[in-house]
Amino acid sequence: MDINYNIKRGIRTIKGWLEKLSFQTGLIILLLCIPCYIISFAQMALPISVSAKSALWVLFFGLAKAFQYGGLTILGAEGIKRIKSWWTLKQVK
């Protein structure tokens, strides 16, 4: 079997599993990227070595991106529209 076929099949499987999760789960996972982004840059102020700072940045920035894309995959296009409509209604009031 071709390795590209296995990778594509794996991605489709993961995407299908994520799409089965609820809107609320997607929203929570999407919101988890915020503290990860904050931690990834705030740790630069810690008095630790440069290599430790780099490792922490890679770890937390990677987690933030994983939460971001995972949450967007769970929400899908309809979930994003739902959030946008809620946000615009909130801005009007």
Side-chain angles (χ1 to χ4, degrees), residues 7 11 21 23 28-29 32 49 61 67-68 75 85 92:
I7 291 172
I11 289 173
L21 297 173
F23 175 80
I28 290 169
I29 290 182
L32 281 174
S49 69
F61 195 78
F67 284 136
Q68 180 182 354
L75 290 175
S85 67
V92 171

Side-chain angles (χ1 to χ4, degrees), residues 20-86:
K20 292 179 187 176
L21 297 173
S22 71
F23 175 80
Q24 186 176 4
T25 304
L27 196 58
I28 290 169
I29 290 182
L30 187 61
L31 291 175
L32 281 174
C33 76
I34 296 170
C36 287
Y37 277 126
I38 292 170
I39 293 170
S40 73
F41 289 103
Q43 57 82 28
M44 294 295 178
L46 295 175
I48 54 178
S49 69
V50 174
S51 59
K53 288 180 183 183
S54 299
L56 285 173
W57 184 83
V58 167
L59 173 73
F60 284 107
F61 195 78
L63 278 173
K65 284 297 182 185
F67 284 136
Q68 180 182 354
Y69 292 129
L72 289 173
T73 303
I74 294 168
L75 290 175
E78 292 301 317
I80 299 299
K81 287 179 186 176
R82 189 170 160 186
I83 292 172
K84 283 183 181 178
S85 67
W86 173 80

